[in-house]
Amino acid sequence: MRYTILLHYPELTPEDLGAGGWEEGERAFDAYATALDQAGVLLSAEVLQPSSSTTTVAVRDGELRVQDGPFAETKEQLGGTFVVDVPDLDAALAWAQKAPSVQWGAVEVRPSATHFENGSWTH
């Protein structure tokens, strides 16, 4: 079963993290991705650019609105995702609790309803 592990955490700059903090985070996420990959459950992983680079598109009252920046004011942002294929929710939760960002932000686990692969939607 496919699950997406969504990483929510405060948006920090290298300066916010201090000397060596950024590199430590990169090493932790590299180890996490490598462990998922070696276990044969990793389907994809994405690290997102800062929320300041977000553009939000919505239709309100029949009018297209394009907004720079994140849609909502928040102290946390969606920083990245890992899509895994594991037997069940318990396995997904076991992997989610190993995500480095669980120490400083929420890690959401959501089952996939469907996904697009090889030219078609798959359930």
Side-chain angles (χ1 to χ4, degrees):
M1 182 159 191
R2 290 172 71 108
Y3 288 88
T4 300
I5 299 171
L6 300 109
L7 309 175
H8 301 270
Y9 46 79
E11 206 161 42
L12 301 172
T13 66
E15 293 77 28
D16 294 333
L17 293 171
W22 192 265
E23 292 80 11
E24 182 181 329
E26 286 180 333
R27 284 191 299 274
F29 277 104
D30 183 56
Y32 181 61
T34 299
L36 287 164
D37 190 48
Q38 289 178 346
V41 300
L42 182 63
L43 298 177
S44 71
E46 300 285 336
V47 175
L48 303 176
Q49 291 190 18
S51 63
S52 61
S53 65
T54 298
T55 302
T56 303
V57 179
V59 174
R60 299 289 180 261
D61 300 320
E63 182 179 323
L64 177 65
R65 295 187 184 173
V66 179
Q67 173 185 334
D68 291 334
F71 181 70
E73 289 295 320
T74 180
K75 293 183 180 180
E76 291 189 339
Q77 50 96 20
L78 176 61
T81 63
F82 288 84
V83 179
V84 296
D85 189 358
V86 293
D88 53 33
L89 178 59
D90 289 337
L93 293 172
W95 281 110
Q97 66 187 327
K98 295 177 184 177
S101 60
V102 78
Q103 300 300 317
W104 61 84
V107 176
E108 178 183 348
V109 176
R110 189 180 303 183
S112 293
T114 185
H115 64 279
F116 194 82
E117 186 174 21
N118 299 322
S120 64
W121 288 99
T122 304
H123 297 277

